[in-house]
Amino acid sequence: MTKPHPTEKRGITAGILDQPYLLLVLAPLFWGGNVVAAKLVVGEINPFLLLACRCVLATAFILPFSYPHLRRDWREVRRTWPVLMAFGIVGYAFFNAFLYIGLTMTTAVNSAIEQASLPMLILGANFLFFKVRATPIQIVGVLLAIFGVILTATHGDPLRLMRMDVNLGDGFVILACLAYTSYTLALRFRPKVHMFSFMAVSFFGAATAAIVMLALFGGGLGTVSSLADMSPTVWIVIAYVAIFPSMFSQVAYARGVELVGANRAAPSHNLIPVFGTLGSVIILGESLEAYHFIAAAIIVSGIVLAEWAARRKAK
């Protein structure tokens, strides 16, 4: 009998964690699913209650995994906890609060396409605030992406922007994108702690902010009691958003970056709107309008131009 190969004993999880491109597909798949899941329960659960459930459960879920890292990083965590919590408040709580509110007034397809502009918004913000050099082609790419978002938010009629006739839900999704852009820019100042320590404290910050928002804008903390009467769909969505987009995506993306590097991993973010749009059509039954295709093509053109210019600049 032949001796088994060592990798046969490693288990499924370990095997997945050694597959960078699988991980870099799973992360945007789970993130894109966040839009579909939240839209699925619009009208059944208050968006602030959904946010609070997500943040509190995600914090409880990650704590056992982060505990050993928190112990090692405790001195730095004690020194920088307000900063670490602020990352969670802006990047997780504000982003998802604006997104979930927006989804009560706009389609998941619109939301997914608008989020496609995130790479270009981040590039443009880096240029404006940190003077990160950008080529003229990259600037054109940013402008194209912004125009694509405007086309989506005005439902194919950019002149509506001049009349201030923009769907309020799309406006909230754009605010969500701006919140995440701010979070991404601030990551350059992230305290030097382990990823799990960072996630644990920032998730706690997000949970704290979500509870405050529920108390102030979501009908009060007493609305938690309404969960007992919620449908199984709501409970499945709560479990999904608390685990998959919150933790599994973060771990999968971080591991993917570790294996192939940030530059090769970054384009995977462009899959988020792809999965979000596909899920919106397949699961929610939403329809694609002509302006969706035009806006998506414009945004993708901007991304391709910026990526091409960045690679040419790096040579």
Side-chain angles (χ1 to χ4, degrees), residues 184-241:
T184 304
L185 293 185
L187 283 174
R188 63 172 58 204
F189 307 114
R190 180 169 81 86
K192 303 297 182 183
V193 296
H194 190 275
M195 182 64 177
F196 275 95
S197 298
F198 172 74
M199 289 171 63
V201 184
S202 60
F203 278 17
F204 180 75
T208 303
I211 291 170
V212 171
M213 284 190 278
L214 176 62
L216 296 177
F217 312 116
L221 300 181
T223 56
V224 174
S225 62
S226 66
L227 290 171
D229 301 319
M230 296 287 179
S231 70
T233 301
V234 172
W235 283 100
I236 291 170
V237 165
I238 289 173
Y240 175 83
V241 298

Side-chain angles (χ1 to χ4, degrees), residues 55-71 73-74 77 81 84-89 92 183 190 193-208 246-247 250-251:
C55 293
V56 171
L57 290 177
T59 304
F61 187 77
I62 198 174
L63 279 177
F65 299 95
S66 60
Y67 179 71
H69 304 290
L70 282 169
R71 288 189 62 185
D73 294 332
W74 189 243
V77 168
W81 67 267
L84 291 168
M85 289 183 65
F87 277 107
I89 292 170
Y92 303 144
Y183 164 79
R190 180 169 81 86
V193 296
H194 190 275
M195 182 64 177
F196 275 95
S197 298
F198 172 74
M199 289 171 63
V201 184
S202 60
F203 278 17
F204 180 75
T208 303
S246 299
M247 182 175 174
Q250 299 284 354
V251 173

